[in-house]
Amino acid sequence: MDDQELFALFRKNGYKVTTQRLAICKFILSRNDHPTAEVIYQELRKEYPTISLGTIYKTLHLLKELGLIQELGFNEGSIRYDPDMELHINMVCSICGKIYDYKAENVKKLWNVIISDIGIKPDGQRIDLYYKCDDCKKNEL
Ligand SMILES: [Zn+2]
Ligand SMILES: [Zn+2]
């Protein structure tokens, strides 16, 4: 999604696009490491010193309403944001919490079969796979 499409989508839904909002949108939509609001805040503060955590939360909430990102809560209480709305596997390190997306085309096919067997239309879907990432495995040795 480019800037123009973002502008159009925001306007269509009655929201103004401010410089900070646009920066937050572009940041989250370009990431696949599922940052928390706090991480987004720390990163964007370098370029936008007046940005507030409140603005970050409000914009993330808006993006969620518009169906551009999903909000993933985790056991340890952290909430992370994922711009990938297609079915995929969140590969979560059970030690450091690092996440990356694994595109599983064959899982997607099977998933669609299951969904049509059940005969419902899902409002959302989420698959998390917990493992130990390479860095954490190294530290264990
Ligand atoms: Zn994901
Ligand atoms: Zn790890």
Side-chain angles (χ1 to χ4, degrees):
M1 178 166 285
D2 63 27
D3 288 11
Q4 293 310 318
E5 287 172 310
L6 263 178
F7 274 113
L9 185 66
F10 267 70
R11 279 209 206 96
K12 202 178 88 191
N13 289 277
Y15 299 113
K16 263 198 240 138
V17 185
T18 62
T19 315
Q20 292 191 352
R21 260 188 191 165
L22 187 65
I24 298 165
C25 293
K26 291 178 89 154
F27 184 85
I28 183 65
L29 294 176
S30 70
R31 300 281 288 238
N32 63 0
D33 61 344
H34 309 58
T36 59
E38 183 66 35
V39 167
I40 300 171
Y41 175 60
Q42 294 304 342
E43 281 296 317
L44 288 180
R45 221 166 55 141
K46 294 173 196 161
E47 207 179 326
Y48 303 91
T50 60
I51 209 161
S52 74
L53 196 52
T55 304
I56 309 260
Y57 274 116
K58 265 184 235 150
T59 307
L60 289 170
H61 187 74
L62 219 67
L63 288 171
K64 194 185 138 199
E65 298 277 289
L66 295 173
L68 293 179
I69 59 170
Q70 33 175 340
E71 199 177 70
L72 306 175
F74 285 91
N75 288 344
E76 76 282 21
S78 73
I79 294 172
R80 291 162 165 264
Y81 295 89
D82 186 352
D84 191 344
M85 301 299 281
E86 296 273 299
L87 182 78
H88 64 274
I89 300 177
N90 295 311
M91 302 288 296
V92 188
C93 175
S94 47
I95 309 276
C96 69
K98 194 160 64 192
I99 306 178
Y100 78 92
D101 285 340
Y102 180 76
K103 298 270 178 199
E105 288 307 323
N106 43 357
V107 172
K108 208 158 141 184
K109 271 187 214 132
L110 181 63
W111 188 260
N112 288 334
V113 171
I114 296 169
I115 297 297
S116 85
D117 279 356
I118 307 173
I120 45 120
K121 191 181 169 297
D123 291 330
Q125 56 222 340
R126 169 177 176 180
I127 305 175
D128 296 339
L129 194 153
Y130 289 86
Y131 75 116
K132 285 190 190 75
C133 77
D134 289 344
D135 289 341
C136 290
K137 248 193 288 183
K138 241 182 270 160
N139 290 339
E140 259 185 349
L141 298 175

